[in-house]
């Protein structure tokens, strides 16, 4: 009987070691596949977010060429302000933007989709300064005024290579972007 116990113990030990090795290999393989899937999903999510925010960047660039907004900055008339605010409101409503507004070259808000052309001085805002240098300016900040995290995209309003006369700024609510996304 004693002779039979040792071969059985050795056999069971070999089976246990082999089973443990196979289990460890299967666990590692499963983790590798899970990691690869997670990386793929994260990459796709980042691409979706980038394309969603790109929509707001493109909107500011397209709106910067609007003749009514150019006229608003070139002329000083209430008629242009009302027309521009109507265009900005329609644009914000159609695109899901939190706000769309026009800023003069000196950094003062001239017209807004909210009808609230407060005398906000945006001259110090980095996204506005970049737009005044002729490039697309963007920023992601917490807005104390709206009590939300927002994404700003500012495009310069200029004609035929002249210096910018102002900027169109599109504001997107990051929480709404995350919800839709």
């Amino acid at each position: 009987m004693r002779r039979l116990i040792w071969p059985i113990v050795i056999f069971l030990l070999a089976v246990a070691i082999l089973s443990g090795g196979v289990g460890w290999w299967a666990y590692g393989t499963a983790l590798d596949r899970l990691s690869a899937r997670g990386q793929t999903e994260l990459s796709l999510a980042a691409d979706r977010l980038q394309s969603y925010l790109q929509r707001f960047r493109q909107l500011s660039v397209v709106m910067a060429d609007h003749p009514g907004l150019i006229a608003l900055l070139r002329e000083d008339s209430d008629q242009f302000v009302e027309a521009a605010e109507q265009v900005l409101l329609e644009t914000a409503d159609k695109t899901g933007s939190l706000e769309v507004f026009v800023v003069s070259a000196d950094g003062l808000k001239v017209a807004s989709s909210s009808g609230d052309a407060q005398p906000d001085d945006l001259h110090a805002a980095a996204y506005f300064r970049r737009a005044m240098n002729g490039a697309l300016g963007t920023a992601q900040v917490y807005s104390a005024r709206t009590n939300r995290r927002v994404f700003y995209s500012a495009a310069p309003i200029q004609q035929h290579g002249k210096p910018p006369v102002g900027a169109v700024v599109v504001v997107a609510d990051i929480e709404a972007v995350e919800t839709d996304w």
Side-chain angles (χ1 to χ4, degrees):
M1 192 70 152
R2 269 195 156 178
R3 285 182 166 177
L4 219 53
I5 290 180
W6 282 112
I8 292 174
V9 168
I10 291 173
F11 175 74
L12 291 176
L13 188 59
V15 168
I17 290 172
L18 183 62
S19 297
V22 169
W24 187 259
W25 173 80
Y27 178 71
T29 302
L31 283 182
D32 288 343
R33 281 190 290 179
L34 187 60
S35 173
R37 182 176 173 192
Q39 288 292 332
T40 301
E41 288 182 12
L42 184 59
S43 178
L44 289 173
D47 286 345
R48 282 193 310 267
L49 179 60
Q50 286 285 10
S51 65
Y52 202 89
L53 292 177
Q54 183 65 26
R55 190 175 85 177
F56 296 108
R57 289 184 187 107
Q58 290 172 345
L59 176 61
S60 65
V61 171
V62 169
M63 292 299 295
D65 290 333
H66 194 282
L69 302 182
I70 295 169
L72 171 68
L73 293 172
R74 298 243 184 248
E75 306 291 329
D76 188 21
S77 170
D78 289 338
Q79 135 191 3
F80 288 115
V81 172
E82 290 174 15
E85 286 185 342
Q86 185 61 37
V87 167
L88 296 173
L89 177 61
E90 288 174 6
T91 301
D93 288 345
K94 290 176 182 176
T95 60
S97 302
L98 183 62
E99 184 179 14
V100 181
F101 58 89
V102 177
V103 182
S104 65
D106 57 359
L108 297 177
K109 195 185 290 187
V110 178
S112 171
S113 62
S114 65
D116 178 27
Q118 298 175 356
D120 293 343
D121 185 6
L122 300 173
H123 198 267
Y127 62 89
F128 174 74
R129 286 194 321 266
R130 185 158 165 81
M132 288 298 93
N133 287 326
L136 181 65
T138 59
Q140 296 178 33
V141 298
Y142 177 79
S143 171
R145 188 170 67 85
T146 60
N147 201 27
R148 298 176 181 184
R149 292 179 303 130
V150 294
F151 173 77
Y152 289 97
S153 177
I157 297 176
Q158 57 190 25
Q159 285 185 317
H160 312 295
K162 295 179 182 176
V165 294
V168 175
V169 180
V170 177
V171 184
D173 181 1
I174 294 294
E175 186 173 321
V177 169
E178 289 171 346
T179 301
D180 285 347
W181 168 61

